[in-house]
Amino acid sequence: MINCSFLQMKHQDKPAEENVTELMGFVLLGFADVPLLQSFLFALFLVIYIITLVSNGIILLVTKLDPALHTPMYFFLGNFSFLEICYVSVTLPRMLMNLWTQRRMISLVSCATQMYFILMLGATECFLLAVMAYDRYMAVCNPLHYPLVMNHKVCVQLVFGSWISGIPIQIGQTCQIFSLRFCGSHLINHFFCDIPPILSLACGDTFLNEMMVYIVAVLFVMVPFLLILISYTKIISTILKLPSATSRAKAFSTCSSHLTVVALFYGSGIISYLRSKTSHSAGTGKVLSLFYTIVTPMFNPMIYSLRNKDVTMALRKLLWK
C-alpha cells in the first residue's frame, strides 16, 4: 500500500555496513530488557487483546442490532468501536508474536506499513472524537435543530471524512521518514514502529523531519482537540443554565463518557508527540504509547457501557435473546 522510493533500495554506493538496516530492516526490542517477564507479558497482552476485541465488538453489535440505538450518537460510537479494533490490531499481534517467538526482526516495508496505519488511525480517532463532541454540542445546545442537522447522510459524511482526511498526509510523512538513511544501530527500543524511535536511528540532521512531525501533530491532534474544547465549553455553559437539577445531571451523564475517553487518548498522545526532544526517554515513550494504543481501546467500551443506561439496556436485551 505504501509505495515509497525507499523501498527501491537506492543507496547502492554506500559501504555494505551502512546498508545493513536497509537490507535487513529493524529489530523491535520491545520488552527485551525484562527477559523473566516475557511469558507474563505475553499472557497479559493476549488477555488485553481478547478483551478489547470482544468488548468493542459487542458495542459495535448492539449499536447495529438495537433499534433504540439507531441515533447519531450511537452511530458514531459504533464506528468508534470499529476504529479501536483496527487500532489495537496494528500493534498487539506483532507484539504478541515477538514475545512468543523472541524473533524481533521487522522488515523495512512492514515497519513503514505499521507506522502508516498507526498514524492514519490515530488521525482518524482525533477527528472522530471531534465529530462526537460536535454531535453532543448540537444535541445539548441546539436540540430543536438536532434531528435536521445531524441526519443520517450528514453522519455518514462526517465519519467518512474522519477516515480519509489523514490518508494522503500520513502517507507523505511515512515516506519522508523512511526515505532517510539509517546507517547506525538498527535496534528500535520500542514495541512498534513509532516516529520518535525511528528518527533517533537516522543519520545526519533530522530537524526538518522533526518539524514536519510537529506540524502534522498540531494539524491532526491540536486542531481537533481545540474543537472539542470549544464544543464542551459551550455545552457546559448551556447545561449550567438549565433550570432543573435532573436535566443538568442527565446532560452531564451523556457527555462524561466522551470526555473521559478524550482525556485518556489526548493526554497520552499529546505528551508523547509534542514533548521536547530533550525529555524523550525510551521508558516514558513506551508507557505513553501503551496508553493511547492499547489501554484506551480496552477501557473505552467499559467507560461507555458502564456509564450509559441505553447501552446497558441494549446489552441486557441482547443477552436475554
Side-chain angles (χ1 to χ4, degrees):
M1 182 173 180
I2 301 176
N3 188 19
C4 306
S5 59
F6 70 85
L7 299 179
Q8 299 173 7
M9 305 301 178
K10 283 186 174 181
H11 309 293
Q12 299 297 327
D13 54 330
K14 294 186 295 179
E17 63 269 21
E18 290 190 8
N19 272 323
V20 170
T21 303
E22 289 187 322
L23 294 173
M24 299 184 65
F26 297 110
V27 174
L28 288 169
L29 293 179
F31 302 96
D33 54 337
V34 283
L36 298 179
L37 295 178
Q38 299 298 294
S39 298
F40 169 76
L41 290 173
F42 175 81
L44 174 64
F45 288 124
L46 179 61
V47 170
I48 289 175
Y49 189 44
I50 292 171
I51 291 173
T52 304
L53 292 181
V54 172
S55 56
N56 281 285
I58 290 173
I59 295 293
L60 179 60
L61 189 64
V62 296
T63 55
K64 293 292 183 183
L65 295 181
D66 195 319
L69 301 184
H70 290 175
T71 63
M73 175 180 174
Y74 297 109
F75 173 74
F76 294 133
L77 178 57
N79 279 275
F80 188 71
S81 293
F82 175 70
L83 172 64
E84 296 292 58
I85 290 173
C86 296
Y87 201 28
V88 77
S89 296
V90 174
T91 55
L92 264 178
R94 165 70 65 170
M95 185 164 60
L96 289 171
M97 185 186 73
N98 292 347
L99 287 169
W100 180 257
T101 65
Q102 297 300 307
R103 298 173 184 171
R104 306 178 187 277
M105 179 68 70
I106 182 170
S107 70
L108 207 63
V109 176
S110 297
C111 191
T113 303
Q114 186 185 56
M115 177 184 285
Y116 162 72
F117 277 108
I118 289 170
L119 295 177
M120 188 272 287
L121 293 171
T124 301
E125 183 152 348
C126 291
F127 283 119
L128 195 54
L129 286 171
V131 166
M132 294 169 77
Y134 176 71
D135 171 69
R136 291 299 83 209
Y137 160 74
M138 289 300 302
V140 174
C141 301
N142 296 285
L144 297 179
H145 295 93
Y146 179 69
L148 181 65
V149 174
M150 299 302 291
N151 58 66
H152 184 69
K153 182 180 178 181
V154 170
C155 293
V156 171
Q157 290 173 342
L158 288 171
V159 169
F160 183 72
S162 299
W163 276 94
I164 68 168
S165 56
I167 290 177
I169 293 179
Q170 301 301 357
I171 288 177
Q173 180 164 254
T174 304
C175 290
Q176 182 193 46
I177 290 172
F178 279 87
S179 63
L180 295 169
R181 291 175 58 194
F182 301 101
C183 56
S185 171
H186 63 296
L187 304 177
I188 301 176
N189 194 7
H190 213 305
F191 59 87
F192 66 90
C193 292
D194 202 6
I195 293 177
I198 295 291
L199 281 180
S200 68
L201 302 180
C203 304
D205 186 16
T206 59
F207 175 77
L208 180 62
N209 302 89
E210 290 170 12
M211 287 305 300
M212 288 302 299
V213 171
Y214 278 103
I215 292 170
V216 172
V218 168
L219 181 63
F220 287 98
V221 179
M222 295 306 295
V223 171
F225 184 63
L226 289 175
L227 293 175
I228 292 171
L229 285 181
I230 293 170
S231 296
Y232 273 102
T233 299
K234 295 183 177 181
I235 288 171
I236 293 171
S237 176
T238 301
I239 290 175
L240 293 176
K241 294 176 184 177
L242 294 175
S244 168
T246 305
S247 299
R248 288 196 297 269
K250 184 178 180 181
F252 271 121
S253 68
T254 61
C255 301
S256 58
S257 298
H258 183 250
L259 274 174
T260 305
V261 172
V262 168
L264 282 172
F265 179 76
Y266 272 99
S268 55
I270 288 174
I271 295 172
S272 180
Y273 279 92
L274 297 184
R275 60 197 173 126
S276 65
K277 188 177 180 180
T278 55
S279 66
H280 281 176
S281 73
T284 305
K286 287 180 186 179
V287 172
L288 291 170
S289 299
L290 281 173
F291 263 94
Y292 68 82
T293 59
I294 296 174
V295 176
T296 304
M298 180 182 67
F299 279 110
N300 285 349
M302 301 178 195
I303 293 169
Y304 277 109
S305 60
L306 293 176
R307 299 177 65 89
N308 190 301
K309 293 181 180 178
D310 293 334
V311 175
T312 305
M313 289 178 63
L315 283 172
R316 288 176 180 173
K317 285 194 288 185
L318 182 65
L319 292 173
W320 182 259
K321 290 179 181 179

